[in-house]
Amino acid sequence: MRGAREVVFADYNPDVLQTLTVPNARANGFSTDASDANRVATTTFRFLGGDWGSLSRSASLLEPGAFDVVLAAETVYEPSSFEKHVEILKRAVRRKTTFLESGVAFVAAKSYYFGVGGGARSFRARLESDGDFAVECVQTLSDGASNVREILKVTWAEQGDERSEARRRARA
């Protein structure tokens, strides 16, 4: 977070932001108070509570394509929420321009959430299904005792990527 112009924390439950996220940021040396003299002057912090679907539709909350990096953890446990997650990534992650590389999202999740059916594998399949994103599993974590976890790297698919182009044509 150091060196970032803006850091946005989002959680479905605003109470989590207030009782856990804000104190955690402060405990790690980040001031969330704009009047704090010790605050890193170039970094602003925002805390957004609510459903990702409402965030993806609000220009006042999330400027389209404004994020170099999006980090998400334990958010894709329910397949019925995948569309909201895809839409927020499409809105938030910066597209490649002449002068800037594409932004990136890292999504950390269990490979499969028993009882609810979501997980990294099914979310990856959903992201790849329309061809807008390139997705790779950059790390698999397994301790042999608990559920396997994966970290997915999500970037905009490059123009000319044959698989992505075929998916886009199939949708049209």
Side-chain angles (χ1 to χ4, degrees), residues 44-88:
T44 59
F45 291 84
R46 289 193 299 144
F47 299 87
L48 304 176
D51 182 77
W52 281 34
S54 62
L55 295 177
S56 71
R57 293 184 299 274
S58 175
S60 65
L61 294 177
L62 290 178
E63 178 184 337
F67 294 88
D68 299 328
V69 180
V70 173
L71 303 175
E74 303 296 337
T75 58
V76 295
Y77 48 86
E78 178 63 51
S80 65
S81 72
F82 286 1
E83 291 308 311
K84 294 175 184 179
H85 286 78
V86 171
E87 288 308 310
I88 197 81

Side-chain angles (χ1 to χ4, degrees), residues 89-171:
L89 292 176
K90 286 181 179 180
R91 180 175 182 84
V93 176
R94 185 188 64 240
R95 290 181 182 265
K96 184 177 181 176
T97 68
T98 303
F99 303 106
L100 297 170
E101 289 297 317
S102 171
V104 61
F106 292 97
V107 179
K110 293 177 182 174
S111 297
Y112 181 77
Y113 288 88
F114 295 97
V116 287
R121 290 184 184 157
S122 54
F123 186 63
R124 178 180 183 166
R126 169 55 193 93
L127 285 168
E128 291 176 333
S129 70
D130 66 10
D132 290 329
F133 289 109
V135 185
E136 71 174 293
C137 179
V138 293
Q139 188 159 11
T140 301
L141 305 155
S142 177
D143 62 8
S146 59
N147 200 330
V148 176
R149 289 172 163 38
E150 298 178 34
I151 300 175
L152 303 178
K153 178 181 178 184
V154 181
T155 57
W156 287 103
E158 294 289 324
Q159 295 295 340
D161 175 359
E162 290 181 31
R163 288 187 330 175
S164 297
E165 293 299 325
R167 287 186 187 111
R168 284 189 196 101
R169 283 192 299 276
R171 276 193 325 217

